Amino acid sequence: MHGRVKVKTTAQQEEEKRKEREKKLKIYVAARDACFSKRKDAVFDDEALQLTQQLLSSNPDFATLWNYRREILTHLETVKDEDEVQKIYEAELSFLESCLKVNPKSYGSWHHRGWVSARLPRPAWTRELSLCDRCLSLDDRNFHCWDYRRMVVKMSDVPVKQELEFTDRLIGSNFSNYSSWHYRSTLLPLLHPESAERPSQRGDPPHSPSPPCPQTHSHRVCEEQLLKEYELVQNAFFTDPNDQSAWFYYRWLLGRAEREEMISCVYVSREEERVAVAFSRPVNARSGVLLLVLDGQPQRVEWRSVHPHFKHSPVWICDLPPGTISDITNEHNLTVHWTEKHAHRDCALYTGRSESWCRDTATDLELFRSELSVEKTSVLQSELQSVNQLQELEPLNKWCLLTIILLMRALDPLGYEKETLAHFQTLKEVDSMRSAYYGDLCSKFMIENTILKMEYAEVRVFSISDRNLTTLCHLDQLLLVTHINLSSNQLRRLPPQFAMLQCLEVVEADNNSIENLEGVYHLPKLEEVSLKNNQISTPADLQPLASCPKLKRLDLRGNPVTQTANVESELAELLPSVTDLLL
Amino acid sequence: MAAEDLPSDFDIVILGTGLAESVVAAACSRVGQRVLHLDRRSYYAANWASFTFNGLLTWIQEQNEETKPEEVKDWSSLMEEGEELIHLSNSDSASITNVQVFNYTSEEEDDTQSADASNTTEEEKAADEDAVKESSETESADSKEEEEAGAAEEQTEGEEPEAEQPLPSSPSNQSKPARKKVSYAQLVKEGRRFNIDLVSKLLFSRGSLVDLLIKSNVSRYAEFKNVTRILTYRHGNVEQVPCSRADVFASRQLSVVEKRKLMRFLTSCMEETEEQTAYNGRPYLEFLRDQQLGESLQHFLLHSIAMVTEDTPTEEGLASTRHFLRCLGRYGNTPFLFPVYGLGEIPQCFCRMSAVFGGIYCLRHSVHCLIVDKDTNRCKAVIDSRGQRISCSHVVVENSYLDADRKQMAPPPRYLSRAVLITDSSVLPSDSDQQISVVTVPPGAAGGPAVKMVELCSSSMTCIPGTHLVHLTCQSVGSAHEDLSPLVTRMFRTTESQNEDQRPSVLWCLFFNMADGSTLEVKGHQLPSNVYVCCGPDGGLGHEHAVKQAESIFQKILPEEEFCPPAPNPEDIIYDGESSSAVDQDLQEESRGPDQDQNQENQNQENQPEE
């Protein structure tokens, strides 16, 4: 047709492309073979550099070739002078830049770049930093680049403040970025450390990102900065409440410091001649890190965790040599030393007393509350107000609901109990996929509340019935409890941690779905267990009870196990101490 | 063009190189039609053109020149039996009026020209007054307002003559603020670095022009920059309009609750709901109010995002809002692109495409008359300005080529008021001085109609470093100067003030009115059925009007053919014997060849509107 432009047909184009590809493949294979044979012969010359470069620029993920290249370069370092080495490495960096343009997420290229940068005689970290910035502006979630950037920052001592501004910038352009928020959470404690414990650091932020000893560092941020962060993150979740990254950061902000490592309780029982020690976190006390001093005399005792399942446990027990404290007319002074942490706790067992303890309570430690100072509590209150405002606008947003719950707990766990329960109900409805998670979380909070109530009442009775509990936790806090009532919940087991209730005498756990009693294990004072209407199905399930020497009364009515043949005789054999068996 | 004659036979003759005509030319050449594309002007793109500073001064001069009366020649020797002539106009006297120039630079080298230019010819003024007679009532209402607006207004009125012919010892020469003044000599000397558009438009990222550029591969001939900010003029201040997620997050003017409400509205309005349809026919503002959106959010949504007026019906307002939002995020944080080197590039890109596919181009070359077959009422041929008869099957003609008497059939045209300012700083200074901003000024904010303002920075290659180029556009009520100068004097400094005035200074400015292409009736010219009229630029911010027009003309000419299918890559074109791409000399000299552009494109890929 006149005037029409003649264009190659698709078939023609395909054919040309195919030929092109074949040609390329031939060259590639030839170069690869040449490289391999050179490496075998340990040839480290310029030609090898060129060959690997040719191959890597079309396929930067060929790890063997990068290795060969590094061998060549280390060899060249030994034969060239510094200026030449500098030049070689600079050429290497610009070659790598072209590789990263082909594939900005190539493991090989980024790793090699890190290697080269570290070996460069006169490193140019500013250039590297700006390369990272360029890469991140193209893809702010390129984790290879984030990794490399962290290395560059570390090597070049970039001021923390500058890095914080960098995260400001990235969050400003797209706040849906976990990397930036997380980076922020590592920078803030360095730049604005919590002041109460370390007043010396205030106003003199450390300029290198080397933190003080990580063991003692609290990872907390001073209140003033914390408030600014609240504002920033609030802007993010009001803008897009469905974006998780901001909410996660907010949870970090609201989070508590790790508890100080300490001995939180020492309990001694005259009758069992036994000492129980509770720690602020699970420890392994088997290996001689605990020292028991009785009336000034170090004792050789064997520490064990409450259940063979635990290598690490917050509660450890030991038996004193028979007769050491059995005489009720004697007064004794105990000290437990935690040699590793230079911590210790004393406990006095007075004349006429059968048991004694010394401890910090959950209420003393404000274990389940915010750590903010009293005047800043008003700030938390206004946080709650604004999140409530968001909830009014977005009544079904799960992140919002969950955050309200967390804020309420930080402020006044008991006062907000009713609202918390209502919000959990909504959460289970709007996010049914996670209803079990919310159930467990709600259980945890209800247990915390019950612990608080118990301690305010100064009793040793823990009663939490009809609360939809799905799980048990904080059992280390119940070391001294003598009576526990868990009736009418949704528990399926009494877990191994249950064995931490060393003073327990009576268990009521009627109307649950308990099928497993693992945790009712070596409880020295346990006398009475009521398990009406549960799911105990075989006599073997009751095996753990056999380890409780004082068990007298056992109520198993309404359990499948009662239907088994010979159940009575089997149980009599298994649990000889039980005199009162209800089936 | 060499002095040799043109071929005497074409499929399509196109007069005028504006956007719509150029798109038709490209589309027709692309499917194998022989296209002759002429423009009587010495530059491409007609009223869509971009000029260097000096080019613009020449253009201003041309607008003020008397058009020579046309010699009526006898063309009967070129005619056959049964044919009649339609004479075309040889000048465009009506589309541009009320040209006024003000120069505020300190050193004056050429004040005669600006003084001349500002004395608009009386005829033009009279013509304009006719055109706007209808709106005289509103005008008087406005003038009252203006009086009330008070001293600021009067002051400028008083100072204008002075500004036009500044005295050598004007106070500006003494107390110099920190800002370095750009002199007039510098504007002239570096004039080549300006690209000043006659129309002020932007490309919606998902608008029909971007789609067309991508689809046709014409995008390879141009580069684009993102508009970086959407601003608005409110309570006498310039504010940034938060429209993307990042903007809303970073905004300091909005409370967190407002942020949520805005984001929620922006997300929810994308889908049509019953609640929305209940508001059909009722004002959009009412709808916004009932969404519990506060005053500032209403302002942003109505004036800056939907860019409609208070009485626009809800369905229309929502459609504009959705269009804006759909365009967000495709190329950046605002919905707009701007072509580097100015809007005049776009028609030229399509011409280039047409030339690559065999279109023949002549500037300073026109057509005297159309030869019409009386029986069929179809145009058989044209007689060009050299007296050559060129036969053709279709004629596409820009509106201004038609004689005034033919246009009287149409309703009197409406006008756009335009102002072009060269300023020394941005209306909203920020960290970077390289921002391209859209500023929406709602009606009444400065006592005038709604104004769309586009502020360009030097990296858009439209002005020299240290200056900004500001385009203002509104529907005419009075002359461009009457409509726009109140806003200019509010937002900018036109005189030297010693105090802490942070407003940008105007160095030079131009006012003119341009016929609004969207109000020129395409039909009703009583033209032969194979003659199609393109009207010039419309007042809209996007290019939808021109693209739609071009497509509909193309479909009338070639109903069976595809409109602008993708052009093949240069390496896939087979060149055999005679070169199939007879690119016109003019175009080759004047513009970069397509291959060169290809290279440039590769270097600037991020800015290319390609998917």
Side-chain angles (χ1 to χ4, degrees), chain B residues 243-439:
Chain B
C243 48
S244 69
R245 208 171 79 126
D247 288 352
V248 173
F249 170 63
S251 169
R252 298 203 171 274
Q253 325 145 37
L254 298 180
S255 73
V256 285
V257 173
E258 280 179 312
K259 288 182 182 197
R260 183 81 287 271
K261 283 182 172 172
L262 178 60
M263 284 302 287
R264 198 154 65 143
F265 181 81
L266 294 179
T267 338
S268 67
C269 82
M270 290 310 282
E271 275 165 41
E272 198 165 323
T273 62
E274 273 180 35
E275 193 199 354
Q276 291 167 6
T277 42
Y279 280 84
N280 279 2
R282 287 155 71 191
Y284 191 37
L285 183 63
E286 204 177 302
F287 175 71
L288 295 177
R289 232 178 250 149
D290 293 355
Q291 298 297 304
Q292 313 293 322
L293 299 165
E295 201 235 325
S296 37
L297 295 183
Q298 286 173 33
H299 176 102
F300 292 151
L301 284 164
L302 190 74
H303 299 297
S304 308
I305 292 178
M307 301 198 203
V308 295
T309 55
E310 298 198 345
D311 42 8
T312 307
T314 301
E315 62 272 25
E316 217 176 288
L318 278 169
S320 313
T321 309
R322 287 184 196 128
H323 184 46
F324 183 101
L325 295 173
R326 267 196 295 272
C327 293
L328 271 181
R330 188 181 197 185
Y331 300 118
N333 272 343
T334 75
F336 304 112
L337 292 177
F338 182 81
V340 178
Y341 300 108
L343 285 159
E345 287 291 296
I346 305 284
Q348 291 192 63
C349 289
F350 284 98
C351 291
R352 213 164 289 159
M353 171 75 137
S354 172
V356 166
F357 287 88
I360 295 196
Y361 278 79
C362 300
L363 293 179
R364 288 173 233 96
H365 199 125
S366 188
V367 159
H368 277 302
C369 42
L370 310 177
I371 298 176
V372 182
D373 184 292
K374 281 184 202 162
D375 293 339
T376 59
N377 189 31
R378 286 178 70 85
C379 176
K380 292 168 71 180
V382 298
I383 296 172
D384 78 353
S385 45
R386 295 202 190 124
Q388 186 188 353
R389 178 178 164 130
I390 298 166
S391 50
C392 60
S393 329
H394 299 275
V395 176
V396 178
V397 44
E398 180 203 311
N399 179 281
S400 71
Y401 284 76
L402 297 175
D403 253 346
D405 54 327
R406 291 216 168 251
K407 283 194 273 195
Q408 255 150 34
M409 321 296 285
R414 293 200 41 161
Y415 280 83
L416 302 174
S417 287
R418 290 272 293 114
V420 178
L421 280 58
I422 299 172
T423 64
D424 67 344
S425 59
S426 172
V427 289
L428 185 64
S430 66
D431 301 342
S432 157
D433 64 341
Q434 294 302 311
Q435 303 264 17
I436 302 182
S437 318
V438 178
V439 192

Side-chain angles (χ1 to χ4, degrees), chain A residues 514-534:
Chain A
I514 296 169
E515 51 195 27
N516 180 315
L517 297 167
E518 260 182 301
V520 192
Y521 176 80
H522 282 289
L523 296 176
K525 297 175 193 278
L526 186 65
E527 291 176 9
E528 212 177 309
V529 175
S530 179
L531 289 165
K532 270 181 282 183
N533 302 320
N534 277 293

Side-chain angles (χ1 to χ4, degrees), chain B residues 154-287:
Chain B
E154 276 170 45
Q155 196 189 345
T156 27
E157 294 287 332
E159 273 167 13
E160 261 159 30
E162 195 188 324
E164 280 169 60
Q165 288 147 328
L167 303 167
S169 63
S170 75
S172 59
N173 277 349
Q174 283 122 32
S175 61
K176 283 233 165 143
R179 279 189 249 181
K180 195 177 158 269
K181 271 280 195 183
V182 177
S183 70
Y184 191 76
Q186 209 175 334
L187 292 184
V188 173
K189 190 173 160 237
E190 297 191 62
R192 267 162 31 89
R193 298 172 72 183
F194 284 95
N195 278 296
I196 302 169
D197 299 324
L198 291 185
V199 289
S200 177
K201 283 179 177 295
L202 297 169
L203 285 77
F204 277 96
S205 298
R206 291 189 194 279
S208 50
L209 184 54
V210 168
D211 288 347
L212 181 62
L213 286 165
I214 293 169
K215 182 185 168 212
S216 63
N217 277 354
V218 171
S219 57
R220 70 170 62 144
Y221 300 135
E223 286 170 45
F224 298 86
K225 275 201 178 289
N226 245 121
V227 169
T228 52
R229 302 187 295 187
I230 311 284
L231 309 177
T232 190
Y233 186 67
R234 190 164 161 251
H235 306 317
N237 289 315
V238 178
E239 291 177 17
Q240 180 148 7
V241 177
C243 48
S244 69
R245 208 171 79 126
D247 288 352
V248 173
F249 170 63
S251 169
R252 298 203 171 274
Q253 325 145 37
L254 298 180
S255 73
V256 285
V257 173
E258 280 179 312
K259 288 182 182 197
R260 183 81 287 271
K261 283 182 172 172
L262 178 60
M263 284 302 287
R264 198 154 65 143
F265 181 81
L266 294 179
T267 338
S268 67
C269 82
M270 290 310 282
E271 275 165 41
E272 198 165 323
T273 62
E274 273 180 35
E275 193 199 354
Q276 291 167 6
T277 42
Y279 280 84
N280 279 2
R282 287 155 71 191
Y284 191 37
L285 183 63
E286 204 177 302
F287 175 71

